[in-house]
Amino acid sequence: MSQLNIETLVSDILAQSVFSPNGKVSSHVGGAGFETVNSAINAAKLAFEELNSSPISVRSAIIEGLRNELVADIPDMAERAWQETGMGNVSDKVLKNKAALENTPGTEDLATQALTGDGGLTLFEYSPYGVVGAVAPSTNPTETIINNVIGMIAAGNSVIFSPHPGAKEVSIWLIDKVEQIIFDQCGIRNLVVCVSNPSFEATRQMMEHPDVPLLVVTGGPGIVSMAMKTGKKVIGAGAGNPPVIVDDSADIKKAAVDIISGASFDFNLPCIAEKAVVVVDSVAQELLQAMEEFGAHWVKDPVDVERLRQVVINEAGDANKALVGQSPAQILDAANIGYQGQPKLVVASVSADDPLMLVEQLMPMLPVATAFNFEQALSIARDVEGGNLHTAIMHSKNIDHLNRAARVMRTSIFVKNAPSYAGIGVGAEGFTTFTIATPTGEGTTSARSFARLRRCVLSEAFNIR
Ligand code: NAD
């Protein structure tokens, strides 16, 4: 072993040796303090073994502790995330973090199935994987960590995070807090870990580590495909480009309000947020006027629309990163377009094949294309969605149209007559998730997604029917 490796090992061991409240020699004083990926995973492996030999009530106590203790930190957390990433806005980040903390399912999600008959009893149980490797994005850094920690620990795992390097300060701050709360609840250290200096290289090492059997990757297409190349089990929560369909039966004013609300939420950073509108011709003007009435800035002059295109899409045909998660005013300023007040959203009429429709922008700039009729709108929406099978939204009162669109779009989330965030349990039924597994098919993930389904058989007994 080289001198450097020995020093790293010694410093990791020294950093990790403390006494827990129950008197056991436990490890580490902060889950985010590891110098190497290897030492973090080794510690998480020991922590998993401790959790795995503990009753399920320990997991429930951990989750209750997190819900009770972290709530007071949410405003600070939102502020830190905004300061560090420079994207989105604090008030919406508060709502997103609250939803993750309060509405992510815990151990109750692991519902057992049982079969009984003359042959006896067979159980299907959700069991842990071990150490989960989780990648978090810059767009929802703390929300994803909270959501994943609750779901992964509920399923009985420990977790090593690869936070986004662009959100590493707030992520490390949060992981240390989470670790302390967990330790206070159960005396187990290192159920949630990461390295002290998150990097792309650390992410690569985590993905390839033999003691990480499951990778849960929330981010863009690059990082999801990188994980898939490892040959491991991957839950991939990749990019989307959610279209909104509006047909001529819709309540147009409500549609306008809902679309503005969803598309402007955290300045359009959520992957599920409305990214493009397809509206049938006969109600297009009415919709745009209603959006203007309810606070959107409608860019009407084609010269201005071209300016917008120039600043939003870069030469490579991707979204301009400098404008991702910026305010409508900042986008209009960048395009040198005049406006009054503080617009909630920027909208512009474009053709269906405009790059503004087809590129995932993650900014409060909503292109609007028109279609002759519902069938054409559906066909355009499919193209806009781009086969991500992520999210689509529709405003309509026509049951046949809604039914057909839900079937044809084949998205993991399909929201009817509501803002997109209804699809993750905000203002609607259902639990919250910030990891929507699209390419790998788990959809809106929860504890059971992070568990292995195992079959346990007892022959010729315990059938009491
Ligand atoms: P990103 O892809 O830039 O980063 C995601 C993570 O991957 C980060 O931790 C980053 O450090 C890491 N990463 C990226 N490229 C890497 C590489 N080559 N090697 C190693 N690590 C790498 O994503 P982002 O900008 O933070 O997030 C936005 C994207 O994530 C959008 O496309 C959005 O749709 C998607 N997203 C999807 C979901 C979902 O649930 N499906 C949720 C949030 C975000």
Side-chain angles (χ1 to χ4, degrees), residues 147-410:
N147 176 242
N148 284 356
V149 163
I150 293 176
M152 289 168 187
I153 288 200
N157 305 291
S158 60
V159 49
I160 171 166
F161 274 102
S162 270
H164 198 290
K168 64 181 173 186
E169 302 295 334
V170 69
S171 302
I172 285 172
W173 172 86
L174 175 59
I175 287 168
D176 274 336
K177 271 198 181 296
V178 163
E179 251 294 291
Q180 189 58 46
I181 294 168
I182 295 175
F183 181 64
D184 291 346
Q185 290 298 321
C186 68
I188 305 176
R189 282 279 185 206
N190 300 319
L191 280 170
V192 180
V193 298
C194 82
V195 292
S196 55
N197 188 18
S199 63
F200 290 133
E201 173 55 20
T203 303
R204 192 191 59 73
Q205 287 178 17
M206 178 198 82
M207 285 187 177
E208 287 174 5
H209 200 286
D211 289 332
V212 175
L214 170 66
L215 298 172
V216 179
V217 179
T218 310
I223 187 75
V224 172
S225 64
M226 179 176 153
M228 283 176 160
K229 287 188 190 121
T230 62
K232 293 185 181 186
K233 160 83 181 174
V234 175
I235 296 179
N241 196 38
V244 195
I245 301 170
V246 183
D247 79 5
D248 54 2
S249 72
D251 177 338
I252 297 298
K253 287 208 164 169
K254 181 177 183 317
V257 171
D258 286 353
I259 292 169
I260 291 173
S261 187
S264 62
F265 190 58
D266 205 19
F267 295 157
N268 204 272
L269 285 180
C271 55
I272 56 158
E274 293 83 347
K275 300 283 187 285
V277 176
V278 191
V279 54
V280 295
D281 269 335
S282 56
V283 290
Q285 283 294 311
E286 193 186 342
L287 180 72
L288 282 157
Q289 277 162 4
M291 290 174 101
E292 195 173 41
E293 182 189 336
F294 291 112
H297 182 92
W298 179 7
V299 179
K300 295 175 183 142
D301 185 338
V303 175
D304 285 344
V305 176
E306 177 54 25
R307 284 207 194 124
L308 207 51
R309 197 177 286 114
Q310 293 294 328
V311 297
V312 167
I313 309 285
N314 67 20
E315 280 179 4
D318 301 321
N320 173 4
K321 278 212 180 299
L323 289 182
V324 167
Q326 303 306 303
S327 70
Q330 284 166 303
I331 294 166
L332 291 166
D333 285 341
N336 211 7
I337 297 170
Y339 57 93
Q340 289 186 331
Q342 289 293 324
K344 292 181 182 164
L345 185 68
V346 180
V347 292
S349 286
V350 298
S351 63
D353 59 356
D354 195 296
L356 291 170
M357 293 287 290
L358 303 175
V359 174
E360 184 196 34
Q361 292 157 22
L362 300 159
M363 58 186 87
M365 204 310 283
L366 203 58
V368 179
T370 57
F372 298 126
N373 56 22
F374 165 68
E375 280 304 325
Q376 195 195 19
L378 185 54
S379 161
I380 293 170
R382 263 189 95 173
D383 291 345
V384 167
E385 210 282 318
N388 294 305
L389 307 185
H390 195 296
T391 298
I393 303 101
M394 181 159 169
H395 293 272
S396 170
K397 288 184 178 161
N398 183 320
I399 299 284
D400 292 342
H401 285 181
L402 287 166
N403 189 45
R404 181 157 158 68
R407 282 185 161 272
V408 169
M409 293 304 298
R410 297 176 60 229

